[in-house]
């Protein structure tokens, strides 16, 4: 199956419009994009919009807990952002688990 058209109604209008498309990326700007963080509200710090606050290594305010992707509630709702976050978090978690002072990269061979 494929998406070939999108039916929409613009704000303030009562008329439906159909737009022909070859695909669609759904983005819930302004509504429906609030991260689901109820399960961790008492465990980690959240920002005013409900997103989990992380540092540059994706570490939360709780030692050993990391957050990635849309749960951080960034403006960039893209799978590539979540994948990048995941890579950063995975390397940071390895550093945490092995009690390293720095990230161990795999492209330096000695």
């Amino acid at each position: 199956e494929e998406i070939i058209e999108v039916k929409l109604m613009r704000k303030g209008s009562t008329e439906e419009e159909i737009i022909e498309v070859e695909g669609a990326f759904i983005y819930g700007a302004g509504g429906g994009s609030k991260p689901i963080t109820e399960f961790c509200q008492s465990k980690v710090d959240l920002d005013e919009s409900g997103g989990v606050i992380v540092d540059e290594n994706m570490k939360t305010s709780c030692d050993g807990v990391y957050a990635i992707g849309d749960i951080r509630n960034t403006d960039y709702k893209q799978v590539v952002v979540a994948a990048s976050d995941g890579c950063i978090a995975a390397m940071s978690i390895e550093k945490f688990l092995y009690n390293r002072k720095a990230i161990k990269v795999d492209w330096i061979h000695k």
Side-chain angles (χ1 to χ4, degrees), residues 24-34 70 73-79:
F25 175 75
I26 308 303
Y27 178 73
S33 62
K34 184 177 185 289
D70 292 354
N73 204 26
T74 68
D75 292 335
Y76 309 101
K77 310 283 193 233
Q78 297 282 327
V79 71

Coordinates of all heavy atoms in Angstrom, one line a residue, residues 24-34 70 73-79:
A24 N 4.3 10.6 2.8 CA 4.1 11.6 3.9 C 4.9 11.4 5.1 O 5.3 10.2 5.4 CB 2.6 11.5 4.3
F25 N 5.4 12.5 5.7 CA 6.0 12.4 7.0 C 5.1 13.2 7.9 O 4.8 14.3 7.7 CB 7.4 13.1 6.9 CG 8.1 13.3 8.2 CD1 8.7 12.2 8.8 CD2 8.1 14.5 8.9 CE1 9.3 12.2 10.0 CE2 8.7 14.6 10.1 CZ 9.3 13.4 10.7
I26 N 4.7 12.5 9.0 CA 3.7 13.0 9.9 C 4.5 13.7 11.0 O 5.3 13.1 11.7 CB 2.8 11.9 10.5 CG1 2.2 11.1 9.4 CG2 1.8 12.5 11.4 CD1 1.4 11.8 8.4
Y27 N 4.2 15.0 11.2 CA 4.8 15.8 12.3 C 3.7 16.5 13.1 O 2.9 17.3 12.5 CB 5.8 16.8 11.7 CG 6.4 17.7 12.8 CD1 7.4 17.2 13.6 CD2 6.0 19.0 12.9 CE1 7.9 18.0 14.6 CE2 6.6 19.8 13.9 CZ 7.5 19.3 14.7 OH 8.1 20.0 15.7
G28 N 3.6 16.3 14.3 CA 2.6 16.8 15.2 C 2.9 18.2 15.8 O 3.0 18.3 17.0
A29 N 3.2 19.1 15.0 CA 3.6 20.5 15.5 C 2.5 21.1 16.3 O 1.3 21.2 15.8 CB 4.0 21.4 14.4
G30 N 2.7 21.5 17.5 CA 1.8 22.1 18.3 C 0.8 21.2 19.0 O 0.0 21.7 19.9
G31 N 0.7 20.0 18.7 CA -0.2 19.1 19.3 C 0.1 17.7 19.0 O 0.5 17.3 17.9
G32 N 0.0 16.8 20.0 CA 0.3 15.4 19.8 C 1.8 15.1 19.8 O 2.2 14.0 19.5
S33 N 2.6 16.1 20.1 CA 4.0 15.8 20.1 C 4.6 15.9 21.5 O 5.8 15.9 21.6 CB 4.7 16.9 19.2 OG 4.6 18.2 19.7
K34 N 3.8 15.9 22.5 CA 4.3 15.8 23.9 C 4.8 14.4 24.2 O 4.2 13.4 23.9 CB 3.1 16.2 24.8 CG 3.6 16.2 26.3 CD 2.4 16.6 27.2 CE 2.8 16.8 28.6 NZ 3.2 15.6 29.3
D70 N 12.7 11.2 20.7 CA 11.5 12.1 20.9 C 11.2 12.4 22.4 O 10.7 13.4 22.8 CB 10.3 11.6 20.2 CG 10.3 11.7 18.7 OD1 11.3 12.3 18.2 OD2 9.4 11.2 18.1
N73 N 12.1 15.6 23.6 CA 11.2 16.6 23.1 C 12.0 17.8 22.4 O 11.8 19.0 22.7 CB 10.3 17.2 24.2 CG 9.1 17.8 23.6 OD1 8.6 17.4 22.5 ND2 8.5 18.8 24.3
T74 N 12.9 17.4 21.5 CA 13.6 18.4 20.8 C 12.7 18.9 19.6 O 11.7 18.3 19.3 CB 14.9 17.9 20.2 OG1 14.6 16.9 19.2 CG2 15.8 17.2 21.2
D75 N 13.1 19.9 18.9 CA 12.4 20.4 17.8 C 12.5 19.5 16.6 O 11.8 19.7 15.6 CB 12.9 21.8 17.4 CG 12.5 22.9 18.5 OD1 11.5 22.6 19.2 OD2 13.2 23.9 18.5
Y76 N 13.5 18.6 16.6 CA 13.8 17.8 15.5 C 13.3 16.4 15.7 O 13.9 15.5 16.3 CB 15.3 17.7 15.3 CG 15.9 19.1 15.3 CD1 16.6 19.6 16.4 CD2 15.8 19.9 14.2 CE1 17.1 20.9 16.4 CE2 16.3 21.2 14.1 CZ 16.9 21.7 15.3 OH 17.4 23.0 15.2
K77 N 12.1 16.1 15.1 CA 11.4 14.8 15.3 C 11.7 14.0 14.0 O 10.9 13.8 13.1 CB 9.9 15.0 15.4 CG 9.5 16.0 16.4 CD 9.5 15.4 17.8 CE 8.8 16.3 18.7 NZ 9.6 16.7 19.9
Q78 N 12.9 13.5 14.0 CA 13.4 12.7 12.8 C 14.1 11.4 13.4 O 14.8 11.4 14.4 CB 14.4 13.5 12.0 CG 13.9 14.8 11.4 CD 13.1 14.5 10.2 OE1 13.4 13.5 9.4 NE2 12.1 15.3 9.9
V79 N 13.9 10.3 12.7 CA 14.5 9.1 13.1 C 16.0 9.2 13.1 O 16.7 8.5 13.9 CB 14.0 7.9 12.2 CG1 14.5 7.9 10.8 CG2 14.3 6.6 12.9

